[in-house]
Amino acid sequence: MTSRRDRRDDDARRGPVVCLCVLAVCGLLAGLLTTAAALPLVGAADLAAEQAAGVFADLPSGPREDPLPERTVLLDSRGRPFAQFYTENRTVVGLDAVAPVMRKAIVAVEDARFFEHGGLDVKGTLRALITNTQAGGVRQGGSSLTQQLVKNILVANAETDAERARAQAPNLRRKITELRYALALEKKYTKPEILERYLNIAYFGAGAFGVEAAARRFFSVPASRLTLPQAAALAGAVRTPYGTDPSLGERQRRRLKQRRDLVLDRMAEVGAVTPAAARAARAAPLGIRLRPEPGGCAASAYPYFCVYVHRELLTNPAFGHTRAERERRLARGGLVLRTTLDPVAQRAAERAIRARVSPRDTEVAAEAMVEPGTGRIRALAASKEYGRNPGDRRNGPRTTFNLPADAAHGGGMGLQAGSTFKVFTLAAALRQGWRFGRGFVTPGRFVPRQGFADCRGRPVNDPRARVFNADGGGRGGAFSLSTGTWKSVNVFFMMLERRVGLCPVVRTARALGVVRADGTPLREVPTFTLGINEMDPLTVAAAYAAFAARGRYCRPAAITSITDRDGGHVPVPPACHQAIDRGVADAVNRVLSGVFSRGTMRGQGIGRPAAGKTGTNNGYTSAWFAGYTPQLAAAVSVGDIRGSYRHPLRNVEIGGRYYGSVQGASLPGPIWTASMSAALRGRPALPFRAPDLKRFGGGSIPGYVPPSADGPRERGAGRGRGRAGTWQPPGRAWKRDRGWHRPDRVRKRDRGWQRPGRRWQFPERPWKRGRGWRDPDR
């Protein structure tokens, strides 16, 4: 019985002989293209004798060459990159963009006779085998550079693990396949074209595919500026990319330097450089200057926007008919996407949120900004950082949910939108002919026991529900379309929705792009107007942007153009439609402008015409503010990431500040104000189009002297004539003989003023418990 050591010695002696025989067979097969004499030597390849002549005589056209995977780069609206996607970090370049010394280095070490042979270098193969055997290591390549190109192409084309294994299998069948394809490529391409393809497909290590990515990754320079020592190092890395990966540590860097020096010796040996130049390069340090090439959104400067773009590419049919086609296109990359992101607006949103909400708070704030008339998303921001928490902890300072967006774009289930939905009831009422001053007297509470039907005509009444105003009290009052909106009166809007019709309100919302954050159908229930549907800030911001654009709704857009790998430029136009009548939108703008001057956001203006609506949910489960100017719309939401119903916004500390309860005007409103002010700084203050007062002005409340419902006084309007639709001085009491009336009081038939409770009620003033004032949205 032979010992293990004896067997090892026998194997060591037989190894070079076996290798020599195998390579000799390959050389013989290539040299005798139509001869069957080599057949007995390749029996292991399972080739029949009668097929030998046709193996090389009937050459294929070459391997299928799919476009090489490249990076997809995202640019902001100013053309600056902020993110990139790739399955392989590669940038394809022409041969003229590669330094000549790099071309010489790769040819010298991989295939010194590359420009002399026709795809298989028999002499070079045998010489490499002898040299490597004598050196006890790999000093020269055995395959031609063309054969190596074929192998890389077959591996790159593999779509399954089985295909990939066949492309790398260490057997003669694969070797002969490579030889046949190599000979075909030599007929198809010139030598420079083959060299260019090889330099772009080869893997150099450290995640860099192709010489351009490798030059930037290893030395932070383009391939066109590589020096001799740098070029030799990259050429040496190709054969052992994992063992010489400089990003893995000092051990790998020492191996890389050894490989570099071997390449320099080889270059001097074949005359690619002078011996003196090679010696000088060997004396130089390795000089690694690793340049980070992060891929994906976690490493992006604007991760939430990046996630949105990535999901849009995978879900939008505009970028491919099927998801598989879209995934393949993204994986292959090579695209440059010009996006809608405005870095000024983005920074404004981030700073406004960061100043008021901490990433470590379980309460989260999110904001989306949209350009009216185009739907272009200008900013997506959130209080938490994007990414995984250490140990994958929940509720840490990071999150992988795209908080400003819906579930289809990486977001969560959303938050109930609250009173921001009242705008859809307002718009539906105005469309049906309601006037600013038209209204009714409301009770202290409301039960939707009758009069509500969904868009299928089915009754959806809920006699068990009890709706109160936001203060929870049982007091009612007289409200017009304007004052009811300014004060966000729940009972008023429930009654208004019943009169207008639930379905018209739902249809108005749908026309403005409103869909639930989780993608399920909208819940058509009586409390629809109170915002019981869970929403995301981007959807709400896009809906409100339509009012700023005079009723023109545009689907949120993150990409303005796509440039493919061949330089083809495809613009991505806005997807818009006229959702509501322009005049109705103008009227909505007038009413919502009063929220800043006479409503729940009084004193929190931004120094330019603006309109908006607060939203505070029942039980303080979430809080919102959505608003806009003619140039920009934004929506801000605040809720607890652990679950809004189990963790309401009561007695909470957010950003180091205590809140007894969070309302739309107390936290989302200030975030909106600060972000919009900064985002619009330096831009002209544009006004809204004035509404048609003949159509929307005036109106009355039965049994109630109508208040001033037209907002600020119109130029040319009458002065104090007591007629519906004219401006009334807001601080004077009624005098029969002079026509003045005080618009915030109710006239009683013979006693003067009506007391709605134990104290006087002034619908345009905030409520104070001790003195009888009420703000219905607080």
Side-chain angles (χ1 to χ4, degrees):
M1 180 179 292
T2 59
S3 66
R4 184 179 300 177
R5 181 176 180 180
D6 293 336
R7 289 197 301 271
R8 286 201 303 267
D9 292 341
D10 291 342
D11 292 342
R13 287 191 296 271
R14 287 197 301 267
V17 177
V18 173
C19 293
L20 182 60
C21 291
V22 171
L23 290 172
V25 168
C26 294
L28 184 60
L29 287 172
L32 305 175
L33 296 180
T34 61
T35 303
L39 181 62
L41 299 177
V42 294
D46 297 327
L47 295 176
E50 61 271 15
Q51 295 174 323
V55 168
F56 293 102
D58 185 17
L59 292 176
S61 61
R64 184 183 86 252
E65 295 182 76
D66 294 331
L68 294 175
E70 294 187 64
R71 295 181 300 168
T72 290
V73 180
L74 272 57
L75 309 178
D76 63 24
S77 61
R78 300 184 178 185
R80 300 170 184 167
F82 67 89
Q84 58 185 2
F85 308 133
Y86 58 79
T87 54
E88 294 181 1
N89 177 24
R90 176 188 284 110
T91 302
V92 174
V93 295
L95 195 61
D96 57 351
V98 180
V101 69
M102 181 67 218
R103 304 178 221 166
K104 293 179 181 179
I106 202 73
V107 169
V109 72
E110 293 299 322
D111 189 359
R113 291 168 49 82
F114 170 68
F115 289 99
E116 301 172 22
H117 64 68
L120 175 65
D121 182 12
V122 177
K123 294 180 180 179
T125 298
L126 295 175
R127 182 174 59 249
L129 173 62
I130 296 171
T131 301
N132 294 339
T133 302
Q134 292 175 345
V138 179
R139 293 177 61 90
Q140 297 179 23
S143 299
S144 71
L145 193 145
T146 311
Q147 288 175 258
Q148 295 179 55
L149 172 60
V150 169
K151 179 180 178 180
N152 279 281
I153 290 174
L154 295 177
V155 172
N157 289 346
E159 296 182 356
T160 65
D161 292 339
E163 291 180 1
R164 194 170 293 106
R166 285 196 297 270
Q168 298 173 311
N171 55 47
L172 284 178
R173 179 178 292 278
R174 176 184 66 82
K175 200 70 177 178
I176 293 175
T177 299
E178 287 181 4
L179 286 172
R180 298 179 71 231
Y181 279 139
L183 295 172
L185 287 184
E186 289 281 348
K187 291 184 176 181
K188 184 177 182 180
Y189 298 121
T190 65
K191 289 290 186 178
E193 289 173 336
I194 292 173
L195 179 59
E196 176 184 309
R197 279 167 167 76
Y198 178 77
L199 286 171
N200 279 308
I201 200 173
Y203 179 59
F204 290 82
F209 291 81
V211 66
E212 178 68 16
R216 294 181 181 276
R217 179 76 171 106
F218 282 50
F219 302 110
S220 298
V221 297
S224 61
R225 293 173 51 193
L226 287 167
T227 63
L228 174 58
Q230 292 170 343
L234 291 183
V238 169
R239 190 160 293 278
T240 57
Y242 300 100
T244 56
D245 185 341
S247 68
L248 297 180
E250 287 300 321
R251 182 180 178 184
Q252 286 76 13
R253 294 193 182 200
R254 287 195 297 271
R255 290 179 179 174
L256 180 61
K257 188 175 186 302
Q258 292 171 0
R259 287 288 302 158
R260 182 200 71 171
D261 294 345
L262 289 174
V263 172
L264 290 170
D265 291 343
R266 179 63 178 161
M267 293 179 72
E269 181 182 338
V270 302
V273 296
T274 64
R279 287 195 298 271
R282 283 175 60 99
L286 191 58
I288 293 295
R289 294 180 57 194
L290 285 175
R291 168 178 164 173
E293 291 287 356
C297 294
S300 170
Y302 310 120
Y304 293 108
F305 195 95
C306 174
V307 170
Y308 188 92
V309 173
H310 184 261
R311 292 299 184 94
E312 183 74 0
L313 289 172
L314 293 179
T315 59
N316 193 334
F319 305 111
H321 296 296
T322 65
R323 184 177 180 90
E325 180 182 345
R326 295 189 290 268
E327 288 177 346
R328 185 164 52 252
R329 186 177 188 186
L330 183 60
R332 289 292 172 182
L335 307 176
V336 177
L337 305 178
R338 189 71 172 257
T339 73
T340 61
L341 185 140
D342 178 6
V344 174
Q346 180 68 36
R347 287 192 293 268
E350 291 174 352
R351 289 170 182 169
I353 291 174
R354 194 180 305 122
R356 293 163 178 82
V357 185
S358 168
R360 298 191 176 276
D361 294 332
T362 57
E363 297 80 15
V364 294
E367 182 172 17
M369 291 183 169
V370 176
E371 182 179 82
T374 65
R376 292 174 178 172
I377 306 169
R378 294 309 190 186
L380 293 175
S383 57
K384 287 192 177 293
E385 300 170 3
Y386 184 81
R388 295 189 178 277
N389 293 307
D392 283 340
R393 287 190 303 111
R394 297 183 63 189
N395 307 326
R398 295 176 176 270
T399 182
T400 55
F401 286 108
N402 192 7
L403 297 173
D406 59 9
H409 293 88
M413 307 303 288
L415 297 170
Q416 285 190 335
S419 295
T420 59
F421 262 44
K422 291 174 181 174
V423 69
F424 307 126
T425 308
L426 170 65
L430 289 166
R431 183 175 181 273
Q432 292 184 10
W434 282 63
R435 293 174 175 267
F436 296 139
R438 182 179 173 184
F440 38 81
V441 178
T442 68
R445 69 172 185 171
F446 181 82
V447 179
R449 59 171 53 92
Q450 62 181 1
F452 293 91
D454 64 15
C455 289
R456 293 184 180 181
R458 300 174 304 184
V460 290
N461 305 301
D462 188 359
R464 296 173 299 177
R466 301 290 186 272
V467 177
F468 299 90
N469 290 329
D471 66 345
R475 299 180 180 86
F479 297 96
S480 67
L481 208 60
S482 295
T483 59
T485 302
W486 298 338
K487 302 309 173 185
S488 195
V489 184
N490 291 340
V491 172
F492 173 83
F493 270 91
M494 289 295 298
M495 297 175 66
L496 180 62
E497 182 187 59
R498 184 171 63 182
R499 297 192 183 194
V500 171
L502 172 60
C503 187
V505 174
V506 172
R507 286 176 175 168
T508 299
R510 285 176 176 161
L512 294 168
V514 173
V515 293
R516 285 174 58 89
D518 59 6
T520 60
L522 289 170
R523 294 176 57 196
E524 300 178 31
V525 295
T527 49
F528 183 90
T529 189
L530 302 184
I532 53 89
N533 282 282
E534 285 79 8
M535 305 299 297
D536 60 279
L538 179 57
T539 299
V540 175
Y544 271 65
F547 295 113
R550 304 193 68 209
R552 177 180 168 86
Y553 171 77
C554 298
R555 183 183 184 274
I559 302 170
T560 58
S561 67
I562 302 175
T563 303
D564 61 26
R565 63 177 67 226
D566 299 322
H569 185 77
V570 180
V572 181
C576 306
H577 67 271
Q578 193 69 33
I580 61 174
D581 179 77
R582 290 182 176 85
V584 170
D586 295 337
V588 170
N589 296 339
R590 168 56 63 89
V591 175
L592 294 191
S593 297
V595 172
F596 286 97
S597 59
R598 310 167 98 177
T600 54
M601 282 287 287
R602 180 184 294 182
Q604 297 194 62
I606 58 174
R608 63 175 67 219
K613 184 70 188 70
T614 52
T616 307
N617 279 297
N618 184 39
Y620 300 99
T621 57
S622 61
W624 288 74
F625 186 78
Y628 53 91
T629 70
Q631 298 134 303
L632 191 63
V636 180
S637 69
V638 176
D640 198 301
I641 200 170
R642 298 171 297 177
S644 58
Y645 299 104
R646 290 183 290 112
H647 301 278
L649 302 176
R650 285 180 173 173
N651 300 316
V652 292
E653 183 176 321
I654 305 175
R657 179 181 176 184
Y658 173 79
Y659 294 85
S661 60
V662 177
Q663 297 101 31
S666 62
L667 183 55
I671 291 174
W672 184 93
T673 299
S675 62
M676 289 286 284
S677 296
L680 293 170
R681 186 174 293 120
R683 299 176 65 177
L686 302 180
F688 293 112
R689 180 73 64 91
D692 182 359
L693 293 182
K694 292 182 179 179
R695 178 180 176 185
F696 299 107
S700 63
I701 301 174
Y704 177 71
V705 178
S708 174
D710 297 332
R713 180 184 176 189
E714 293 293 321
R715 182 174 298 178
R719 277 187 167 273
R721 299 300 180 185
R723 299 174 311 207
T726 59
W727 179 77
Q728 306 293 340
R732 300 194 182 185
W734 180 268
K735 293 185 179 180
R736 293 183 179 178
D737 57 337
R738 298 188 58 186
W740 302 115
H741 78 91
R742 188 162 182 169
D744 55 0
R745 293 190 178 182
V746 182
R747 182 168 180 76
K748 201 170 182 179
R749 185 166 50 186
D750 49 2
R751 290 288 306 278
W753 308 120
Q754 173 185 354
R755 299 189 178 202
R758 298 180 62 183
R759 295 181 179 276
W760 302 119
Q761 176 183 353
F762 295 85
E764 294 182 13
R765 296 189 182 182
W767 180 267
K768 293 183 180 179
R769 291 182 180 178
R771 301 187 57 188
W773 307 120
R774 174 178 62 181
D775 185 343
D777 197 52
R778 294 191 177 181

